[in-house]
Amino acid sequence: MHASGQSVLLLLLLGMTAAPLLTKAEVFTSFQDLTAVFALERRVVAALHSYVGDMETRLAKIRKYLQEYEQVTAEGPATDEVIRERLAGNPVHAFHLMKRITVDWRHLEDQAKTDYWRGVVEAMRGSDTGGVVRLPKEEDLQGAAQALVRLHDVYNLNMSQLVRGTVWGVASAAEMTAQDCLYMGKHSFNLGMYPRALQWFEEAYTLAGLEGNATVTQEQYDESIAAQYEREAQEEQEAVFGASIPVDDMKSSRQTSKYRLGVDLKPHEDAVNFQALCRGEQLLSESYLATLSCFYDHRDDRYLRLMPAKVERLHWRPELLIFHDVLSQAEIEKIKFLARPMLARAMVQGSKGKGNTVSNTRTSSVGWLDDSLHPLVDKVGDRIQRLTGLSTNLARDDAELLQVSNYGVGGHYNPHHDYLLADKTEKELLHNIHPRELVMGDRIATFMFYLSDVNRGGATAFPRLGTAVWPTKGSAVFWYNLKRSGEADEATLHGACPVVHGHKWVGNKWIRERGQFLRRRCGLHPDD
């Protein structure tokens, strides 16, 4: 579709405020909502084609009317008065005049009264299908832009290929204009990603020249403005680090930095490791990798002795395990079917543990499934209990509801810890945490199912362990968030890498301390 056509549709999508909307979640965070909007756009395009056809038919009739009149008046040069007398004195001309005024004009008038645009409006509102589609708002446009900026930064995507529709080796016709690049540059700058912002600005300047200044002129945004942003970026870096860092060095720092592992990493080291793992780089030594293996394990469960679990070890301390083939295709589809009506924008714990809030640190949609909702949900909880040896009894508050998450393109979750209480002060626990949370205890462990494959991106990265889990449909990853002493295991910092192509579904089961008293005993050493 041409850029002008895309602009019309964008205005339609953002401007149809009279349509029945849902406000439960932003559109850009949900793959389900995105596909629904794309389906809606297809219907709108069909309605627009019909509208163009109707308008062309209407214009053809108007042109025919004008042509007939011009043919009558073109019989010979004369003044207006002579032409009127000649026409009025000709019986055929008189007949055609009566016909044009009484018949042809009435048709033109009727056409003008017909609201051909209504079909487009009804298609946009979903009136033709009876469905309710959540339409994007300006916040969705900003969110989608930030997602693209994030993908460019995390995966170090080639700028020239990106703006020409090739994203991580997958080509498409989704090219970007100079105006698009300028918009992305401003978002990058506002997010503090100064070197990336300069790359977007430079590409905007180049494309403006190639486009003949069609969307943005080089006069509007020339190299002097880019230089100004560069100076501001240098000042910001100097304020943070105490010394100016050349922009060229900032661009190449990701390639030259050495990876360090452990719990004493600084925030920027965590970020560097996280992004490297998302790109598929190997941070663990060959000697350490040689100690890891895949094996069958009955997990001290009688049932699993008949059909041992397929286990893959990714890390020793803390232990990080993958269980393969723990859900069937039918079970996965049923879980997603149950979760779809409940999906809402994901939230994170508020400052100092107080309440929950929407945050750009996590862009996904989530739904919570109670064991009583369907026998399969209860069955899944029982399966987790057999594989982990931990109680997942909801009635006794030994675990939380099954959380199902859907990440669309660019969907991510910044590195974080799953424990809720271990890092809180006594004052925060007493004033900000609900008493029921204290009774349940902290999240002792995480069991996460992968309910889909992901075409590109979407790994679960552990920057302090130097390893990542790549989604495999039907598998699950398991780790303890707390040490045996009950202290927080800070090495379990992890995050969801942005989805580049496709979408990602996961199911999380957080297991609480309550109920594990005799199942996971204290060790002989505080660090166990």
Side-chain angles (χ1 to χ4, degrees), residues 272-329:
V272 167
N273 286 6
F274 176 73
Q275 295 191 0
L277 291 168
C278 289
R279 294 192 297 269
E281 297 183 31
Q282 183 56 256
L283 274 60
L284 295 174
S285 66
E286 293 296 330
S287 59
Y288 190 88
L289 291 173
T291 68
L292 307 177
S293 62
C294 297
F295 52 93
Y296 287 101
D297 191 357
H298 56 71
R299 310 294 293 170
D300 291 328
D301 183 84
R302 294 180 180 179
Y303 176 81
L304 292 178
R305 289 183 184 276
L306 301 175
M307 189 174 63
K310 302 174 184 177
V311 187
E312 179 181 355
R313 185 183 299 279
L314 292 185
H315 203 271
W316 282 96
R317 292 185 63 183
E319 189 175 58
L320 183 63
L321 302 176
I322 299 178
F323 295 100
H324 291 278
D325 300 325
V326 293
L327 287 176
S328 68
Q329 174 71 21

Side-chain angles (χ1 to χ4, degrees), residues 68-97:
E68 289 180 356
Y69 177 80
E70 289 168 356
Q71 287 175 349
V72 170
T73 59
E75 291 183 354
T79 63
D80 287 345
E81 184 177 356
V82 172
I83 292 174
R84 289 195 297 269
E85 290 180 356
R86 185 174 66 236
L87 296 181
N90 187 311
V92 177
H93 282 324
F95 170 76
H96 284 158
L97 174 63

Side-chain angles (χ1 to χ4, degrees), residues 432-447:
N432 298 339
I433 305 300
H434 194 280
R436 183 168 178 266
E437 297 284 337
L438 300 177
V439 172
M440 293 175 68
D442 214 334
R443 290 173 170 173
I444 191 173
T446 298
F447 195 96

Side-chain angles (χ1 to χ4, degrees), residues 399-517:
E400 298 179 29
L401 303 181
L402 179 65
Q403 184 201 70
V404 179
S405 301
N406 175 218
Y407 294 82
V409 174
H412 79 299
Y413 195 172
N414 284 352
H416 61 282
H417 292 99
D418 279 354
Y419 49 73
L420 302 175
L421 311 178
D423 59 342
K424 302 294 185 297
T425 65
E426 183 176 343
K427 183 178 180 180
E428 290 171 349
L429 291 174
L430 290 176
H431 295 282
N432 298 339
I433 305 300
H434 194 280
R436 183 168 178 266
E437 297 284 337
L438 300 177
V439 172
M440 293 175 68
D442 214 334
R443 290 173 170 173
I444 191 173
T446 298
F447 195 96
M448 183 166 67
F449 294 102
Y450 292 105
L451 306 177
S452 69
D453 297 314
V454 181
N455 297 337
R456 292 283 195 285
T460 305
F462 293 78
R464 297 180 178 178
L465 303 184
T467 190
V469 185
W470 294 89
T472 301
K473 192 174 185 178
S475 66
V477 60
F478 170 72
W479 69 90
Y480 284 101
N481 300 303
L482 306 178
K483 300 176 181 179
R484 288 184 176 273
S485 62
E487 296 295 320
D489 193 335
E490 296 182 359
T492 60
L493 183 78
H494 63 285
C497 298
V499 175
V500 182
H501 283 289
H503 59 106
K504 175 182 174 184
W505 286 85
V506 298
N508 284 299
K509 191 71 167 181
W510 286 294
I511 304 171
R512 295 301 190 111
E513 287 180 289
R514 179 186 173 102
Q516 321 309 331
F517 179 66

